[in-house]
Amino acid sequence: MAANVRVRRPATPPPGLPHVIRQDHLSADERREAASKGYGPGQRSHSSGGLNITSGEWKLLAVVLLIATGVRMFRLSKPDSVVFDEVHFGKFAARYIKTRLLITAAAFVSGFNGEFDFKEIGKVFENAPYVAMRMVPATFGVATVPIAYLTLRALDCRATTALLASIFLTFENGLITQSRHILLDSPLVFFTALTIFLFVGFSNEDKKEPFGTQWWTWLILTGLSLGAVVSCKWVGLFTIATVGVCTILRLWLLLGDLRVSPRMWARHFFARALCLILIPILFYMTMFQLHFLILGSSGEGDAFMSSEFRQTLGRGMEDTYADVALGSDITIRHLNTQGGYLHSHAHNYPGGSAQQQITLYPHRDDNNLWRVLNATVDGYEQYDYEHKPIVYIDHGSRIKLRHIVTDKALHSHEVRPPVSDVDFQNEVSAYGLTGFVGDINDDWVVEIEKSDKSDKESSKRLRTLRTHFKLRHLNTGCYLFSHKVKLPEWGFDQQEVTCNKNAVKANSLWYVETAAKHPQLCSQNRLFHSIDRCPKRVMWTTNAGLTDRHMYDSRPLTWPRLRRGINFWVKDHRQIYLIGNPFVWWSSTASIITYMIVRGFLLLRAKRGYRDFDNTKVVKYDSLCGFLFVGYCMHYFPFFLMGRQLFLHHYFPALYFAILLNCAVFDLATSTLRPKIRLQIAAVLMVIAVITYSKFSSLTYGDPWTKKKCTNAQWVKTWDFACNEFLDEYSQYSGVTVPTLNRTNPVATIGGEPGGRAAIVVEDKLGQDGVAPPEDEQNTAVPIGVPEPGRDVFAKDKQKEIKSLRIALQDVPVINVDEKEISVVAFEPTSAASEVVPEGKEEVKVQAGDVGATGEPEDEARPKVIGILEKEMEVELGGDVDDHRKPHGPLDHEEAIADQVAHELYPEARDAE
């Protein structure tokens, strides 16, 4: 009977189509899917990247795109003033304009000339195309929505699930707020989403047809996108890590597939290495080369960069002599920290020896100049370095460093520093007078530690930029040392310099940055340039060094709970506050927790012998959710390792993965339901998301709001909205713009009677009528009352004016004033001072507003008052600063004046003492 059975011949393919060989490695699900589409066994036909999008879906996606555009572009011109970190990123764009990249290009095309300075939050835009500049991040925010839709469809989720994700992203308040202003997080999230989409497309191609044209296209685009995401921010490294982990896992699985030969596996490996490693590096370097071409000159940020790098910038540093000899005028920089130059100024330590301060100062200044002198002769005047044979500074040379502006020597002794008060630290000061030779405590020994291999002479003697050396104090054996410790206000917040007996080598290394013209050094000795053009290490260490607290910073543990937002802008009884959509945010966090619980439960079942992972449905959703969970972890948990300043917006890339995972969980939960019911459930979730968005939209757009609605919207007690900034009724906003009042503390001017001291303006805590002003009513506004931008690490801090004073106040006896008179105080100098006061100038006046109008507390205002008095007396008196600066009992002269002023203004506090 078997002989009568005829074997049916396979069907002949239609004319024009090649004969397809059966592919036995297709899974059962893939063969079933191919059969449902009419393909015979072994036939392979698929859309590029695994995207099977119908024409109806494209129309639906277009509608979603229009909605997203309306949501993010709505009233983009409002507010018309600077918001949060627009202070920094707008300023960056202005600098590019002035010198000759996305945001800058938009500004340039719109005619921005770079003159608007983005100086502070709330400053009204003038002659700045801020709408065009805001349009760039807003466009990226809009483009993220369809990318999310296509990603979930490429991950084989249903159209309803992809639509739900796109709506969640469209109405996520935090992402909307961040994308409506001149900030970089919106491009970062977009390129993160684009990279994941392209990598998913490549993975689908890799399963279908490796090394085909489409396969190479998706792989190369993924590499380019990786380069773009890391070029936006270094947080993009987390996206590279996500793709890297998944790539390594795929290669590991291929290695275990016996159908893949070693040669084929090597092709897979090198193709991925080329496109996912080399291409991103080349893209990133190209972007930096564009930076160097556009911004090739010196600017505010160059103080953080190495001297070698700054020499490559136009107007960054003047060419310097390569050699250092006796008589050279030099600047010395600390190697290991960014404190800057060895610096001194005509201000003394308040304690210890009370001698002149030595600090590190990060910016170029005349007070950074030192002259190298020979310490082995009796007097430096006797050494004629202009005519005697030139003497270079070798290893072991004994030198003195003379501060050129104040004519004092770098000095150390067995006195504890005012801040690092420990036994192994000695104070470093500037000591001496003009014509005074000094003593052995001014002597230092040069010890060369490291040299440039390309310059052999730099190992034998000091060479600018190329020789790293230590300075050992001859008398005590300690080493000149600095670390990241700042001096208090009396030291102008500059970095402390000490002499350390147990010095860490890295913090005791110095180098000469510039050596000014020396009479016997010829022009051939000049050092023109250096090849160091890589500031990455400085960028990394500077970024990691942002450890100062910000009033709106937060830690990663609070982000998934949406515990607190960021105050972006408060003005005209309106507020922009970065807060996420609570429904989208919390449901996404719940999905993360749900996946972890279910995955752990399945692992326990597998351990007990259950075969859940033989189910194709379980495998599909485990792979899908596992991929998104890895992306979430890679973009979230690294922040726990960072000690730097962090904000809620750092969570946005992780939030993107959380939203996709949320929708993937929805896809699994509704997989057994009919499509109509699934769509109804999704519609309910979308409506809830839109309603929640609407609840907080006034904070998103800076629209009018009422105090009552603001209070009702504080679902979490840590949401510190400025509810008292809003008006009581919407009708109060109609047609009227009420400016935000600037509250300043009252001030008073005391003294001025003949024979007294100069007029001094101080904070009037009791008011002119002696009645304390009423305390502000309790409110939920931010403590300072105004939003504070994040810190720009490459901007110059506002430095107090520090000039080398040649004159100082004489000691003036404190005169008791029996009667407090609010107006004027005259100053009665001592007899010596009276001889030098020009006729007709009997008093020194401080105008109201110079100090007191700032509303500073009294203890902060005192140093400024004294500083102004000293500057005025410098003009009035004349003389030498060292001849007049003497201690006055337990308090110095300045403290005595400030203390007497305080007692006269607040007799109640004096009586209480």
Side-chain angles (χ1 to χ4, degrees):
M1 188 169 81
N4 296 328
V5 176
R6 297 179 59 187
V7 179
R8 187 173 182 178
R9 180 175 59 86
T12 303
L17 292 179
H19 184 75
V20 180
I21 301 176
R22 180 182 177 88
Q23 301 292 333
D24 293 328
H25 67 272
L26 291 177
S27 66
D29 289 337
E30 290 174 329
R31 287 196 294 270
R32 186 161 45 250
E33 180 182 2
S36 66
K37 296 180 179 180
Y39 303 123
Q43 284 186 291
R44 296 189 302 166
S45 178
H46 64 277
S47 301
S48 178
L51 284 172
N52 297 312
I53 309 295
T54 64
S55 59
E57 285 186 75
W58 287 115
K59 296 176 182 178
L60 178 63
L61 192 56
V63 173
V64 173
L65 190 61
L66 289 176
I67 296 174
T69 303
V71 168
R72 279 163 173 76
M73 302 291 184
F74 174 69
R75 294 180 56 195
L76 199 60
S77 60
K78 300 297 181 182
D80 60 350
S81 55
V82 179
V83 174
F84 193 56
D85 274 355
E86 286 185 338
V87 167
H88 304 315
F89 297 115
K91 190 181 299 181
F92 297 159
R95 291 170 186 164
Y96 280 91
I97 292 291
K98 285 187 175 181
T99 58
R100 264 277 160 191
L101 254 216
L102 253 26
I103 294 176
T104 304
F108 178 77
V109 171
S110 302
F112 185 37
N113 58 11
E115 294 301 323
F116 186 77
D117 57 8
F118 294 86
K119 187 175 182 180
E120 59 187 7
I121 293 177
K123 183 173 183 178
V124 178
F125 288 107
E126 295 179 358
N127 300 321
Y130 67 98
V131 175
M133 298 171 74
R134 288 176 177 174
M135 190 80 71
V136 174
T139 302
F140 281 115
V142 172
T144 304
V145 174
I147 292 296
Y149 184 98
L150 296 175
T151 300
L152 285 180
R153 292 294 287 126
L155 287 170
D156 201 23
C157 289
R158 296 171 178 84
T160 303
T161 303
L163 177 63
L164 180 64
S166 62
I167 294 298
F168 277 1
L169 287 169
T170 298
F171 294 99
E172 210 297 303
N173 297 69
L175 294 174
I176 296 171
T177 304
Q178 197 74 8
S179 64
R180 287 175 49 83
H181 304 291
I182 309 172
L183 305 171
L184 292 184
D185 293 274
S186 184
L188 173 68
V189 174
F190 167 78
F191 283 114
T192 299
L194 180 63
T195 300
I196 296 305
F197 166 65
L198 294 172
F199 181 71
V200 169
F202 161 72
S203 299
N204 290 337
E205 287 293 330
D206 191 50
K207 296 175 183 178
K208 301 292 183 180
E209 190 178 352
F211 300 103
T213 303
Q214 295 293 332
W215 187 88
W216 280 108
T217 301
W218 286 95
L219 183 59
I220 293 174
L221 289 177
T222 302
L224 291 173
S225 187
L226 284 173
V229 70
V230 77
S231 297
C232 285
K233 279 188 173 184
W234 278 359
V235 175
L237 290 171
F238 302 155
T239 308
I240 293 179
T242 302
V243 173
V245 168
C246 296
T247 300
I248 292 173
L249 177 61
R250 177 61 180 166
L251 290 173
W252 179 256
L253 294 176
L254 285 175
L255 188 63
D257 191 345
L258 298 181
R259 294 169 296 181
V260 178
S261 65
R263 184 173 181 177
M264 180 63 69
W265 188 90
R267 288 184 62 191
H268 277 281
F269 175 83
F270 285 110
R272 286 165 169 81
L274 172 67
C275 296
L276 301 182
I277 298 178
L278 184 59
I279 288 180
I281 292 175
L282 292 176
F283 186 97
Y284 179 77
M285 294 175 65
T286 302
M287 291 299 103
F288 252 86
Q289 184 61 30
L290 290 178
H291 280 273
F292 291 136
L293 292 175
I294 298 174
L295 285 181
S297 299
S298 176
E300 293 182 1
D302 64 358
F304 291 87
M305 301 303 175
S306 67
S307 303
E308 294 90 339
F309 173 75
R310 283 166 37 193
Q311 275 212 328
T312 66
L313 301 176
R315 304 188 303 274
M317 277 179 55
E318 296 181 359
D319 294 332
T320 181
Y321 285 86
D323 276 312
V324 180
L326 292 179
S328 294
D329 294 345
I330 63 175
T331 59
I332 303 175
R333 281 185 71 103
H334 194 236
L335 181 66
N336 196 43
T337 67
Q338 296 171 359
Y341 300 88
L342 187 66
H343 176 93
S344 186
H345 43 250
H347 296 271
N348 292 358
Y349 292 115
S353 67
Q355 294 175 2
Q356 187 168 297
Q357 299 173 14
I358 297 292
T359 65
L360 286 191
Y361 183 64
H363 307 295
R364 283 172 292 210
D365 184 80
D366 289 342
N367 282 323
N368 303 333
L369 287 174
W370 301 83
R371 180 164 294 153
V372 184
L373 301 174
N374 187 6
T376 61
V377 296
D378 294 334
Y380 63 86
E381 297 90 355
Q382 301 175 12
Y383 185 78
D384 186 4
Y385 55 83
E386 295 188 11
H387 300 95
K388 288 190 176 183
I390 190 169
V391 178
Y392 296 112
I393 309 302
D394 304 320
H395 178 80
S397 294
R398 179 177 165 184
I399 64 172
K400 294 179 186 287
L401 291 174
R402 198 80 180 180
H403 191 243
I404 293 179
V405 175
T406 60
D407 201 17
K408 296 180 184 294
L410 185 68
H411 182 92
S412 185
H413 41 219
E414 290 287 350
V415 177
R416 301 287 78 78
V419 176
S420 298
D421 189 2
V422 290
D423 292 339
F424 56 86
Q425 296 264 33
N426 287 347
E427 178 189 86
V428 176
S429 63
Y431 174 73
L433 297 170
T434 301
F436 176 63
V437 176
D439 55 31
I440 195 172
N441 284 328
D442 299 341
D443 295 359
W444 301 84
V445 177
V446 176
E447 296 182 1
I448 295 178
E449 284 288 333
K450 186 179 179 181
S451 61
D452 191 334
K453 295 180 180 179
S454 63
D455 184 0
K456 295 182 179 180
E457 293 297 322
S458 62
S459 63
K460 302 175 183 178
R461 62 176 187 258
L462 284 193
R463 302 269 285 181
T464 55
L465 303 177
R466 295 173 177 172
T467 303
H468 300 165
F469 62 92
K470 298 193 292 186
L471 286 175
R472 176 171 55 85
H473 192 245
L474 181 64
N475 194 30
T476 62
C478 58
Y479 287 90
L480 192 66
F481 174 88
S482 186
H483 50 171
K484 293 184 178 180
V485 173
K486 296 295 183 68
L487 296 175
E489 186 176 354
W490 52 258
F492 306 95
D493 297 320
Q494 296 175 16
Q495 191 164 308
E496 181 186 40
V497 176
T498 65
C499 196
N500 196 326
K501 299 176 183 177
N502 300 324
V504 177
K505 179 179 177 181
N507 284 343
S508 57
L509 290 179
W510 306 80
Y511 67 93
V512 176
E513 182 179 86
T514 61
K517 183 178 180 180
H518 189 281
Q520 298 189 50
L521 289 177
C522 60
S523 59
Q524 283 77 15
N525 188 253
R526 299 188 71 120
L527 180 67
F528 289 100
H529 64 275
S530 175
I531 59 174
D532 179 14
R533 294 186 60 90
C534 187
K536 304 295 185 300
R537 182 175 61 87
V538 176
M539 294 167 57
W540 182 276
T541 55
T542 301
N543 196 299
L546 288 178
T547 56
D548 295 340
R549 292 303 306 270
H550 186 283
M551 65 181 305
Y552 283 100
D553 66 0
S554 54
R555 299 310 301 170
L557 191 62
T558 66
W559 297 342
R561 296 178 288 157
L562 194 60
R563 190 173 182 271
R564 193 180 186 219
I566 308 173
N567 187 14
F568 269 23
W569 177 87
V570 176
K571 191 176 182 182
D572 300 338
H573 298 284
R574 295 168 172 86
Q575 181 182 24
I576 294 179
Y577 188 94
L578 180 70
I579 191 74
N581 186 315
F583 173 73
V584 174
W585 206 286
W586 291 334
S587 62
S588 300
T589 301
S591 298
I592 296 291
I593 297 174
T594 300
Y595 170 77
M596 295 171 63
I597 294 174
V598 173
R599 190 63 168 82
F601 179 70
L602 290 177
L603 288 176
L604 291 176
R605 284 175 56 86
K607 197 68 176 177
R608 296 298 300 174
Y610 292 92
R611 303 175 63 86
D612 297 316
F613 290 99
D614 290 346
N615 188 311
T616 56
K617 182 177 180 181
V618 172
V619 172
K620 170 190 171 181
Y621 284 104
D622 179 63
S623 300
L624 166 60
C625 296
F627 169 68
L628 297 175
F629 181 75
V630 168
Y632 175 85
C633 293
M634 288 294 180
H635 288 79
Y636 175 56
F637 288 107
F639 286 107
F640 284 91
L641 305 177
M642 299 183 187
R644 58 148 292 173
Q645 206 177 75
L646 296 173
F647 295 92
L648 182 65
H649 58 72
H650 287 111
Y651 182 68
F652 283 164
L655 176 65
Y656 176 79
F657 285 94
I659 292 175
L660 295 189
L661 181 57
N662 186 15
C663 296
V665 171
F666 167 83
D667 195 85
L668 171 61
T670 59
S671 59
T672 59
L673 301 178
R674 290 183 297 172
K676 184 177 180 180
I677 298 177
R678 183 188 307 113
L679 182 60
Q680 291 172 348
I681 296 174
V684 171
L685 297 177
M686 295 176 197
V687 170
I688 296 174
V690 173
I691 293 175
T692 311
Y693 149 81
S694 177
K695 180 79 173 179
F696 297 93
S697 61
S698 295
L699 294 174
T700 302
Y701 299 103
D703 287 340
W705 217 15
T706 63
K707 292 181 180 178
K708 183 178 180 180
K709 286 191 174 183
C710 177
T711 304
N712 292 337
Q714 287 182 306
W715 297 350
V716 179
K717 63 180 180 180
T718 52
W719 291 354
D720 46 358
F721 308 151
C723 290
N724 280 342
E725 290 291 333
F726 298 102
L727 300 178
D728 295 322
E729 301 293 339
Y730 283 110
S731 59
Q732 296 177 266
Y733 289 96
S734 58
V736 179
T737 301
V738 185
T740 303
L741 298 178
N742 294 321
R743 301 182 179 90
T744 57
N745 294 340
V747 297
T749 306
I750 71 164
E753 60 273 18
R757 297 181 305 278
I760 298 178
V761 179
V762 295
E763 180 185 357
D764 186 10
K765 296 183 178 179
L766 296 180
Q768 295 281 358
D769 54 0
V771 179
E775 296 183 358
D776 293 337
E777 59 179 336
Q778 294 184 354
N779 56 71
T780 58
V782 296
I784 295 180
V786 294
E788 176 185 352
R791 181 179 167 194
D792 174 14
V793 298
F794 295 113
K796 289 183 179 178
D797 297 330
K798 294 182 179 179
Q799 299 290 337
K800 297 179 176 64
E801 189 71 16
I802 305 171
K803 296 297 181 182
S804 300
L805 300 178
R806 291 287 184 180
I807 2 179
L809 290 172
Q810 272 190 304
D811 296 329
V812 181
V814 177
I815 301 176
N816 293 326
V817 180
D818 296 330
E819 182 179 355
K820 179 175 75 172
E821 182 176 338
I822 307 298
S823 61
V824 174
V825 179
F827 180 76
E828 182 179 0
T830 60
S831 58
S834 301
E835 296 175 4
V836 295
V837 175
E839 186 176 351
K841 295 186 179 182
E842 299 179 358
E843 49 181 46
V844 180
K845 296 183 179 180
V846 181
Q847 298 295 329
D850 289 347
V851 177
T854 61
E856 292 180 325
E858 180 181 337
D859 55 348
E860 296 180 12
R862 286 180 185 173
K864 294 188 178 182
V865 173
I866 301 306
I868 295 173
L869 286 173
E870 286 186 343
K871 291 179 182 179
E872 295 291 339
M873 290 303 295
E874 179 178 356
V875 179
E876 299 287 341
L877 296 178
D880 189 78
V881 69
D882 300 297
D883 294 335
H884 299 290
R885 187 176 292 278
K886 297 177 181 179
H888 183 77
L891 300 174
D892 61 15
H893 170 66
E894 294 88 349
E895 291 178 344
I897 290 180
D899 192 68
Q900 181 64 22
V901 169
H903 284 177
E904 291 173 357
L905 186 59
Y906 309 117
E908 301 84 358
R910 178 182 59 187
D911 296 338
E913 293 176 353

